[in-house]
Amino acid sequence: MVEKRTSKSKAKQEKMSGWEKLKGKYKEIDAYCKEYMKFISGVKTEREAVDYVKKVVDTLEGIVYLENRGKAIALWKEGKITPMDGIRIVVAHIDSPRLDLKVNPLYEDTEIAMLKTHYYGGIKKYQWLARPLAMHGRIAKEDGSVVDLVIGERDKDVCFTIEDLLPHLAQKQYNKKVSDAFEGERLNLIVGSRPDTGAKEDKVKKAILDLLKRKYNMVEEDFVSADLEIVPAGPAREVGLDSSMIGAYGHDDRSCAWAALKALIEAKDLPYTTVVLLVDKEEIGSEGNTGAKSRFLEEVVWDIGERLGSNIVPSRVLFKSLAISADVNGALDPDYPEVHEKTNAAKLGYGVCVTKFTGSRGKSGSSEARAEYMAWIRSILNRRSIPWQTGELGKVDEGGGGTVAKYLAEYGMEIVDMGPALLSMHAPFEVASKVDLYSTYLAYRAFMEEK
Ligand code: MN
Ligand code: MN
């Protein structure tokens, strides 16, 4: 009799939404999300994320960081058990889909000054047209000095935009496939239209060059040595009459980076030395010296060994480690339910989403967590009554995607994907549920604190 009742109530509990499960915790959810909204509104590039994290950690004791070229960073806290028995790792990425400026971007056409872009990551190009855009980034000069820019975020700032064809003259465009209707070479940023009346040709471009010189002490060739990123302008917003969601640029994946940072700061009595690894370049395949494919993590483990005075062999430590690939998933889409398989899709508001495998066409390109590791993850989430669910990105053969999990799995560690499920993923305005964001933080913290 008693046993029957227990199992019935447990089955019911599993289907509860995060809001039901965390009833009585709404104050904590709101406080967490308020702080997160401030972060996500101001931090829109990988460089800004690294700078932000350094600033926060500098004020704290007990957390050490190692930076990788201003675009990736690892922070860690010492645990009770020697690192030779393995460490805990939460890895998130801090780059997001956007438009990068080309190396020679500035030109004039139809007496409008424009900057050529090359998009970064998986975007639907039409989402970037006819909306306010901001420029964030760094210009490195020949003399070794740098200029950091953020233009377009404050009310008094100017902003930029990419124009779109008026519907009246778009008949030919309407008849094209969406993939052909919007071309990468037409994603040019409007930056000026007032001519230098004294110039002989390219009068508007000349005026813009003068302005760049005056305001930023910049010459045209400086674009060659710059990382300038075009992102949606403006802050994150609460979404819905009930304020239950947050709309923002870059939930993927800075919502996970933020949750991991918060969890590491708040986590107590860590059994294992715990690393939060924030990497760049995930959106283009984790390539390059600041991406997850670089050997930065090994460098971090060397650093841990040196600082703790223990004789560490990074490959052995990493082989024995447990990790979370902290990344978002796509939520069941009410307008396009046909791309999902409902039994296995994550739902908005049902807590942190644990994704056993990613990949596409028969799990190709996936890193799959094995049954035993999934069981342990499940047990720690249930032990703390954290809202969680599983997720699969779309129906079989519908498409798919990957994360950094497979690159860390190469070291032989246990790793599983975990993070909030989003609506409008990769759009300039992605939507996340507040309860999912908070559950993600709780889940990472449990992973750090549980044995
Ligand atoms: Mn991601
Ligand atoms: Mn992504």
Side-chain angles (χ1 to χ4, degrees):
M1 184 71 187
V2 173
E3 205 184 312
K4 205 177 163 190
R5 249 177 54 196
T6 316
S7 66
K8 198 179 166 192
S9 76
K10 207 180 169 194
K12 199 182 159 213
Q13 196 185 6
E14 276 164 19
K15 279 182 196 153
M16 269 211 284
S17 98
W19 294 107
E20 277 178 87
K21 222 167 170 180
L22 289 185
K23 223 172 184 175
K25 292 271 177 206
Y26 290 5
K27 256 196 190 149
E28 285 87 339
I29 294 173
D30 270 336
Y32 176 85
C33 288
K34 212 171 169 186
E35 221 187 322
Y36 170 64
M37 278 179 78
K38 241 176 139 180
F39 164 80
I40 199 75
S41 297
V43 174
K44 293 194 177 178
T45 68
E46 56 286 348
R47 277 186 198 277
E48 288 167 359
V50 168
D51 288 345
Y52 179 94
V53 168
K54 273 162 55 184
K55 222 179 264 171
V56 170
V57 173
D58 277 338
T59 66
L60 300 168
E61 270 184 29
I63 298 183
V64 182
Y65 68 76
L66 190 66
E67 187 190 338
N68 183 7
R69 296 172 175 84
K71 291 182 162 217
I73 192 166
L75 13 157
W76 57 274
K77 224 176 186 176
E78 189 181 352
K80 292 194 195 89
I81 299 162
T82 165
M84 277 312 282
D85 290 338
I87 57 175
R88 296 274 163 94
I89 301 162
V90 179
V91 55
H93 67 93
I94 46 178
D95 61 318
S96 296
R98 60 176 190 255
L99 308 176
D100 285 340
L101 290 195
K102 289 197 187 194
V103 212
N104 295 306
L106 183 63
Y107 71 105
E108 173 178 340
D109 197 339
T110 329
E111 284 170 59
I112 296 174
M114 320 263 264
L115 292 173
K116 287 179 181 290
T117 68
H118 193 139
Y119 66 95
Y120 172 98
I123 62 163
K124 290 168 102 174
K125 298 184 191 91
Y126 62 83
Q127 293 177 338
W128 292 74
L129 309 176
R131 58 173 299 139
L133 297 166
M135 186 187 297
H136 291 228
R138 166 168 289 185
I139 300 151
K141 308 260 202 174
E142 261 185 296
D143 65 6
S145 65
V146 295
V147 180
D148 286 325
L149 293 181
V150 178
I151 307 170
E153 296 294 352
R154 293 167 304 180
D155 288 344
K156 58 172 185 176
D157 277 4
V158 300
C159 71
F160 310 98
T161 196
I162 296 169
E163 65 100 19
D164 195 7
L165 184 58
L166 63 169
H168 316 63
L169 300 180
Q171 284 314 311
K172 271 190 199 139
Q173 189 186 43
Y174 286 155
N175 292 325
K176 287 182 180 171
K177 285 198 300 183
V178 179
S179 56
D180 299 331
F182 304 95
E183 296 161 48
E185 285 296 350
R186 292 192 210 266
L187 295 176
N188 300 312
L189 196 71
I190 294 179
V191 292
S193 67
R194 184 161 40 211
D196 172 348
T197 48
K200 284 202 179 100
E201 51 184 355
D202 279 348
K203 293 177 178 180
V204 181
K205 179 181 171 181
K206 170 79 174 28
I208 290 294
L209 280 172
D210 290 345
L211 199 146
L212 288 173
K213 177 78 192 158
R214 226 172 36 243
K215 273 196 144 167
Y216 306 104
N217 191 27
M218 181 184 173
V219 296
E220 190 168 6
E221 200 185 271
D222 288 336
F223 279 119
V224 169
S225 51
D227 294 329
L228 293 172
E229 305 178 8
I230 308 307
V231 298
R237 305 281 299 272
E238 288 184 308
V239 174
L241 287 170
D242 57 3
S243 316
S244 60
M245 296 161 278
I246 297 174
Y249 164 68
H251 282 315
D252 178 9
D253 185 34
R254 287 185 286 272
S255 66
C256 295
W258 168 261
L261 171 68
K262 276 305 236 187
L264 188 71
I265 291 171
E266 312 271 329
K268 287 185 186 78
D269 303 323
L270 294 177
Y272 291 89
T273 294
T274 302
V275 175
V276 168
L277 176 64
L278 304 177
V279 292
D280 179 29
K281 296 284 183 281
E282 192 276 342
E283 296 295 357
I284 57 167
S286 296
E287 316 287 348
N289 59 358
T290 52
K293 279 191 201 169
S294 78
R295 295 280 174 260
F296 178 50
L297 183 56
E298 287 170 40
E299 196 55 34
V300 174
V301 179
W302 280 117
D303 189 60
I304 292 173
E306 273 166 16
R307 285 177 195 260
L308 298 182
S310 44
N311 248 335
I312 267 181
V313 184
S315 58
R316 177 154 295 179
V317 171
L318 292 171
F319 191 83
K320 289 182 175 176
S321 293
L322 304 186
I324 286 178
S325 164
D327 209 341
V328 302
N329 201 328
L332 182 60
D333 185 326
D335 284 327
Y336 297 90
E338 66 275 16
V339 302
H340 302 278
E341 186 266 290
K342 278 191 175 176
T343 320
N344 281 286
K347 275 169 76 182
L348 205 71
Y350 273 72
V352 66
C353 171
V354 184
T355 306
K356 188 173 188 287
F357 58 86
T358 55
S360 53
R361 291 166 278 96
K363 298 189 180 179
S364 181
S366 162
S367 155
E368 180 160 7
R370 64 185 183 128
E372 293 88 336
Y373 191 46
M374 284 296 282
W376 181 73
I377 290 286
R378 216 177 104 194
S379 76
I380 63 169
L381 297 174
N382 283 338
R383 209 176 300 160
R384 296 192 173 198
S385 299
I386 296 167
W388 68 277
Q389 58 181 330
T390 55
E392 181 175 1
L393 188 60
K395 276 183 184 164
V396 177
D397 291 336
E398 191 71 47
T403 63
V404 300
K406 60 178 174 180
Y407 305 115
L408 270 73
E410 282 182 18
Y411 292 108
M413 68 183 71
E414 304 268 19
I415 188 161
V416 67
D417 285 293
M418 207 193 282
L422 307 180
L423 290 175
S424 301
M425 194 167 121
H426 279 208
F429 192 71
E430 302 176 308
V431 175
S433 155
K434 284 183 176 178
V435 78
D436 296 344
L437 293 167
Y438 185 66
S439 304
T440 299
Y441 152 76
L442 292 178
Y444 297 167
R445 188 168 168 184
F447 169 79
M448 294 172 181
E449 290 178 339
E450 293 283 339
K451 229 177 144 184

